[in-house]
Amino acid sequence: MASSADFEALLLACLSFNNQSRKQAEDAIKQLSNKPQVVPELVQRIQVAADPQVRQLAAVLLRKWTARHWSNLSTEVKSGTQGVLLERIVQEPVHSVRRALADVVAAVASLSVPDKQWPGLLEFLHQCSKAKHMEVGLLLFAALFETIGEHLHPHVP
């Protein structure tokens, strides 16, 4: 796996207007996408990248590749990913990134909730609906109803 700085540089290059640079970066990212370690690396970019476009791209790629790698991740990585996603979605100042994060939460939930592997998710949604994070709660409800709606119905009045 590339170093964290190199990985972030690749993501940034994927956003480049220079076709050659962008193509090279996309090819490199595609190679990395076959490794389960890409999941925690993308999660880290969602946490620490200064550029909101990099955070958004990391979230989009994470949503895209989660299903491919989820079963190969340790319980600790899965739990850590879930925690970071919920933490970041309420802290993220940019709406488009929050929307991309809601889609990642929905993708992870579709792999976790049916097996009862994300017990804190419904409580988090409940807290968001009552607190200052109502927009986040609405984004999450919309995204989650598309992926795990049948699991939410018993909990929604």
Side-chain angles (χ1 to χ4, degrees), residues 85-107:
L85 290 173
L86 298 183
E87 175 185 299
R88 285 302 310 153
I89 200 165
V90 295
Q91 294 176 353
E92 178 56 53
V94 179
H95 178 76
S96 59
V97 181
R98 279 194 309 275
R99 178 68 208 157
L101 289 169
D103 292 339
V104 179
V105 169

Side-chain angles (χ1 to χ4, degrees), residues 7-65:
F7 191 76
E8 188 163 337
L10 284 174
L11 291 174
L12 197 54
C14 285
L15 301 168
S16 172
F17 290 113
N18 181 310
N19 288 336
Q20 185 176 7
S21 296
R22 187 177 60 249
K23 176 74 172 123
Q24 289 173 344
E26 288 170 351
D27 290 344
I29 292 282
K30 187 175 182 178
Q31 291 296 317
L32 295 172
S33 74
N34 294 320
K35 299 176 176 146
Q37 299 89 344
V38 75
V39 171
E41 191 61 49
L42 288 167
V43 170
Q44 185 177 14
R45 293 306 101 216
I46 288 168
Q47 284 183 284
V48 300
D51 187 329
Q53 290 182 314
V54 170
R55 294 193 306 273
Q56 183 176 7
L57 179 57
V60 168
L61 294 175
L62 183 59
R63 179 194 51 81
K64 183 177 177 180
W65 297 332

